[in-house]
Amino acid sequence: DTHCKLKGCDQGFHNYLYYSNTLLTLKGVKEVIEFEQGKGIINNLGVLRSKPLREWGLLNDENVVLNWDGSVSAVAHQFDRDDELNTHLKEVRKVYEDEFKTKKSTGADDSKLQFASPAPKGTHVIMQPTFGKHRSHVDAIFGLAEGYDIRIYLLFIESLIKTGFNGDLVLSVSALDSLKNGVEDYLRSHHKEENEDGLNVVVYTVTWTCYNSDGTVADGANEGVRKCELVDMYGNDTDNRAIKDPREARPVATARFELYWAWSQYYDKHNWIMLIDTRDTHFQLNPFATIDHQEDKDIDEGLLYFFAENAQESNIGKSSFNSRWLREAYGAEKVQSFFDRPIICSGSTMGQQIAMEPYLRAMVAQFDDTHCKLK
């Protein structure tokens, strides 16, 4: 165990699980498919900073983000790293804001590895949605969206709606009395019943106990800088009474995978789930439209899709953050062979539920094993 103490290790965990081939040993995971940057459903733009996206040929005259082959990227992730695209999407966001104001004014292989359940023995998840209900038969998108004003929600959700996505959007947001003006009403307006079509928003108001560096209780996570504990996530099997968080305080970016694990259990095993950052993501096409959904319900393994950063601009060894996360969590000897490999982004992942659930167990287990809290 390394017991590293900084925030951000979730990306280190993600890359370690992939490059160590641990995921291929998990029951439920048939295959992990890595998509090079600009060649998959999600286009990670973060490291393309040496020149504007337009000069890379990845932004067309209509300000649409493209893949390297000229096709439209379904999901543009980390769009705020490019000044021109960020400025354009601020204007798009203003259109959504105006539209919103108008609407508001008018109305089975046992030989494979299985990580333990994140729930301690003798307990189960008792956290329930604050509003909205999961629809087990649809695809779903999970995200952490705490502390944002309505403009962030509008760009994310309205761009998703325009793609024709008909699944669930499951979000962790601030406590209702802490939400910015208009956010609760807007999110509630996108509720759908079990058999209704359209985007259905499911909201969890997760309570965190966060700490300052001196160990005193703090007010909020400070955009992920502080370490936090989950409140009332698990309860005893005997009386359903909530227990104290079984894990030490850790970054919210790490703890979110525990939330995602709990949410994943609501969905049928061959439906697809996307994990995506909400603040810097813009949808251009339905990300699930081209996926071949599994028809044989008797097959007990599925696919994971991982999405890389641009390998020409950076790799794990060139990135001081990514290399540090891996060294601190696992030790240099275990991870040195990964350093010439592309960075796999932990903020953009897709998979069938049957493969996503064990992946999320594995992510939680990495923190349990390493206690890594790096940023």
Side-chain angles (χ1 to χ4, degrees):
D1 293 354
T2 64
H3 302 277
C4 62
K5 300 290 182 182
L6 305 170
K7 172 205 163 222
C9 266
D10 60 287
Q11 185 139 303
F13 299 159
H14 186 71
N15 279 266
Y16 178 80
L17 288 170
Y18 179 62
Y19 286 121
S20 67
N21 291 321
T22 300
L23 293 173
L24 296 179
T25 70
L26 298 185
K27 184 176 182 179
V29 177
K30 177 183 179 181
E31 185 180 4
V32 182
I33 300 173
E34 175 197 340
F35 292 89
E36 295 178 30
Q37 184 271 321
K39 295 185 179 182
I41 294 170
I42 300 173
N43 194 345
N44 293 319
L45 306 170
V47 302
L48 294 171
R49 303 188 195 188
S50 61
K51 57 185 179 183
L53 288 179
R54 193 173 298 281
E55 292 184 25
W56 285 107
L58 295 180
L59 190 66
N60 70 13
D61 291 341
E62 287 75 42
N63 292 307
V64 173
V65 176
L66 305 176
N67 294 318
W68 291 108
D69 64 2
S71 62
V72 175
S73 301
V75 183
H77 180 222
Q78 304 160 330
F79 65 77
D80 57 342
R81 275 59 157 190
D82 182 82
D83 289 341
E84 182 181 5
L85 179 60
N86 194 34
T87 299
H88 166 69
L89 289 178
K90 284 181 179 179
E91 294 302 315
V92 172
R93 188 173 68 194
K94 287 180 182 177
V95 174
Y96 292 150
E97 290 175 41
D98 291 341
E99 290 176 352
F100 174 65
K101 290 174 184 176
T102 301
K103 290 176 184 176
K104 191 173 181 182
S105 66
T106 59
D109 178 2
D110 294 336
S111 66
K112 286 202 167 187
L113 177 65
Q114 296 186 69
F115 283 98
S117 166
K121 187 176 181 180
T123 73
H124 60 278
V125 175
I126 60 171
M127 183 179 291
Q128 296 292 320
T130 305
F131 56 84
K133 293 182 179 180
H134 298 271
R135 300 177 298 178
S136 62
H137 63 284
V138 300
D139 297 328
I141 297 173
F142 297 169
L144 194 69
E146 301 197 9
Y148 301 147
D149 66 33
I150 196 165
R151 295 175 301 167
I152 303 298
Y153 293 98
L154 282 170
L155 183 60
F156 185 85
I157 294 175
E158 294 299 321
S159 69
L160 179 59
I161 290 172
K162 287 183 182 300
T163 70
F165 174 69
N166 274 323
D168 284 358
L169 172 61
V170 189
L171 298 173
S172 170
V173 306
S174 308
L176 293 184
D177 59 2
S178 299
L179 288 174
K180 304 291 177 65
N181 186 43
V183 170
E184 181 182 351
D185 288 343
Y186 174 68
L187 295 177
R188 285 186 182 274
S189 73
H190 291 294
H191 168 71
K192 294 290 186 296
E193 296 296 335
E194 176 71 18
N195 294 315
E196 280 188 279
D197 286 335
L199 175 73
N200 174 51
V201 175
V202 182
V203 168
Y204 287 77
T205 52
V206 178
T207 302
W208 306 91
T209 301
C210 301
Y211 299 92
N212 294 309
S213 57
D214 62 2
T216 58
V217 176
D219 182 17
N222 191 24
E223 296 187 357
V225 173
R226 298 190 180 108
K227 314 301 184 296
C228 303
E229 295 173 344
L230 280 162
V231 177
D232 295 347
M233 174 84 175
Y234 303 107
N236 290 316
D237 288 343
T238 52
D239 57 11
N240 219 38
R241 183 178 300 175
I243 66 167
K244 186 179 184 301
D245 191 341
R247 294 177 175 85
E248 62 188 293
R250 64 274 191 207
V252 171
T254 298
R256 62 179 167 164
F257 289 91
E258 205 163 337
L259 296 175
Y260 295 166
W261 166 76
W263 301 347
S264 74
Q265 296 178 81
Y266 283 97
Y267 294 91
D268 295 342
K269 63 183 181 180
H270 290 302
N271 283 110
W272 279 75
I273 294 171
M274 173 188 286
L275 317 178
I276 194 74
D277 295 333
T278 56
R279 181 185 58 81
D280 57 1
T281 295
H282 178 246
F283 296 93
Q284 302 186 134
L285 299 171
N286 184 342
F288 300 92
T290 60
I291 289 174
D292 183 15
H293 286 68
Q294 179 67 54
E295 294 183 2
D296 186 351
K297 303 303 182 183
D298 294 327
I299 295 178
D300 288 326
E301 55 186 7
L303 301 177
L304 289 173
Y305 284 1
F306 282 13
F307 300 90
E309 305 279 4
N310 185 274
Q312 283 67 51
E313 287 294 291
S314 189
N315 61 29
I316 290 174
K318 291 178 183 177
S319 168
S320 59
F321 290 108
N322 284 275
S323 56
R324 186 184 179 204
W325 294 331
L326 283 163
R327 282 197 304 268
E328 291 290 332
Y330 300 102
E333 184 177 344
K334 275 190 174 182
V335 301
Q336 194 67 40
S337 63
F338 307 159
F339 280 20
D340 63 347
R341 307 297 296 277
I343 299 163
I344 308 299
C345 180
S346 62
S348 54
T349 303
M350 297 178 70
Q352 290 169 283
Q353 190 278 344
I354 196 169
M356 183 64 77
E357 192 272 345
Y359 158 73
L360 293 168
R361 286 189 186 215
M363 286 291 285
V364 177
Q366 300 316 292
F367 175 76
D368 291 343
D369 291 344
T370 67
H371 301 272
C372 179
K373 303 179 185 177
L374 279 167
K375 177 177 175 67

